[in-house]
Amino acid sequence: MSVSEMFAALQGALGQDQDIREEIRKVVQALEQTAREILTLLQGVHQGPGFQHIPKKCQKAREHFGTVRTQMESLKTKFPADQYYRFHEHWRFVLQRLVFLAAFVVYLEAETLVTREAVAEILGIEADRERGFHLDIEDYLSGVLTLASELARLAVNSVTAGDYSRPLRISTFINELDSGFRLLNLKNDSLRKRYDGLKYDVKKIEEVVYDLSIRGLNKEAAAGAGGEK
């Protein structure tokens, strides 16, 4: 084979790779748009009247996740099944965002931490790496850390809306989350940096709870925590 023939073959391989990446980008762009729509919908819970419509907003968000599952099915067809990590960087960010959104919906519904398996089911992908397109553990953990930041914000806005029991429940949840992360030996630099930010979320929520206490609202908050969520 001549040098020109060798490089022509290499160009063909490069062209095929570029075509795959372009097809992936198109689907990822659609996923990003759906994620923005879900985020916009859920941001309404931070406003005073939004607390009264949490179930309706969560139901609507789950309908949007139906679109996510369809888009994920399309994404799976755009690259060879055994080359997940070769192209992973293309959808890593949007997948982490979708994990956060799914976790936020589940928290708003039940005030519990969604499992990786449950998130995978919501997104229409696998939890088990061996079964194909899956939810990487680090992507799941990154999404959960984003949830922590969102709940710190929700704790502040809950007080503004006159809901004094929610910050107490959020504080308990975030402290349990922090304890869970402390059990992990995180070596991924990006994930480690994001985990380092969790202590600021814990501190922010603690300040909210402390403020409720010094204002004499802690008793009302505790009574509310024992009633309806």
Side-chain angles (χ1 to χ4, degrees):
M1 182 182 293
S2 67
V3 171
S4 60
E5 289 173 335
M6 289 172 57
F7 276 83
L10 291 173
Q11 176 56 40
L14 287 174
Q16 291 178 357
D17 187 79
Q18 291 170 355
D19 289 343
I20 291 174
R21 293 181 186 278
E22 182 58 33
E23 288 300 309
I24 290 174
R25 287 191 193 98
K26 291 177 182 178
V27 182
V28 168
Q29 287 175 353
L31 279 167
E32 289 172 341
Q33 176 59 36
T34 305
R36 284 192 292 270
E37 292 172 0
I38 298 173
L39 180 60
T40 300
L41 175 67
L42 294 178
Q43 288 302 295
V45 305
H46 290 286
Q47 302 169 1
F51 287 100
Q52 303 171 13
H53 305 296
I54 285 178
K56 183 181 296 185
K57 290 182 181 297
C58 289
Q59 181 182 358
K60 189 66 176 177
R62 284 189 176 273
E63 292 174 6
H64 282 290
F65 277 113
T67 301
V68 169
R69 288 191 289 273
T70 299
Q71 292 166 337
M72 283 294 185
E73 285 299 322
S74 176
L75 181 57
K76 295 174 188 177
T77 68
K78 303 304 182 184
F79 64 96
D82 60 348
Q83 296 184 20
Y84 176 93
Y85 283 106
R86 181 181 180 186
F87 301 105
H88 176 242
E89 191 64 25
H90 287 286
W91 59 75
R92 179 175 62 87
F93 176 78
V94 70
L95 190 56
Q96 292 174 3
R97 174 61 62 87
L98 289 167
V99 169
F100 150 61
L101 293 170
F104 194 26
V105 168
V106 170
Y107 179 83
L108 291 173
E109 290 174 337
E111 298 192 358
T112 59
L113 176 62
V114 69
T115 64
R116 184 165 68 99
E117 292 73 16
V119 175
E121 183 177 352
I122 291 171
L123 301 183
I125 58 179
E126 302 293 340
D128 186 354
R129 177 176 178 174
E130 303 302 322
R131 299 183 65 179
F133 195 106
H134 64 284
L135 176 55
D136 184 81
I137 293 176
E138 292 179 353
D139 289 337
Y140 166 74
L141 293 174
S142 292
V144 169
L145 287 170
T146 304
L147 172 66
S149 297
E150 191 73 8
L151 292 181
R153 179 186 171 205
L154 185 63
V156 174
N157 292 328
S158 296
V159 175
T160 304
D163 185 345
Y164 304 131
S165 64
R166 192 178 298 273
L168 287 180
R169 302 197 303 272
I170 291 176
S171 178
T172 300
F173 176 83
I174 293 297
N175 278 296
E176 290 176 351
L177 196 63
D178 183 45
S179 296
F181 269 95
R182 290 178 187 275
L183 298 175
L184 304 178
N185 180 20
L186 300 176
K187 296 183 178 180
N188 178 294
D189 289 341
S190 175
L191 186 59
R192 178 71 197 188
K193 288 178 181 178
R194 297 190 67 175
Y195 165 63
D196 288 341
L198 179 58
K199 62 183 178 183
Y200 297 106
D201 296 324
V202 172
K203 182 179 179 181
K204 185 176 181 179
I205 297 170
E206 286 177 344
E207 289 174 349
V208 172
V209 174
Y210 176 72
D211 185 58
L212 287 173
S213 177
I214 62 175
R215 290 165 58 190
L217 298 171
N218 55 327
K219 293 182 180 180
E220 181 179 344
E228 292 187 0
K229 295 180 180 180

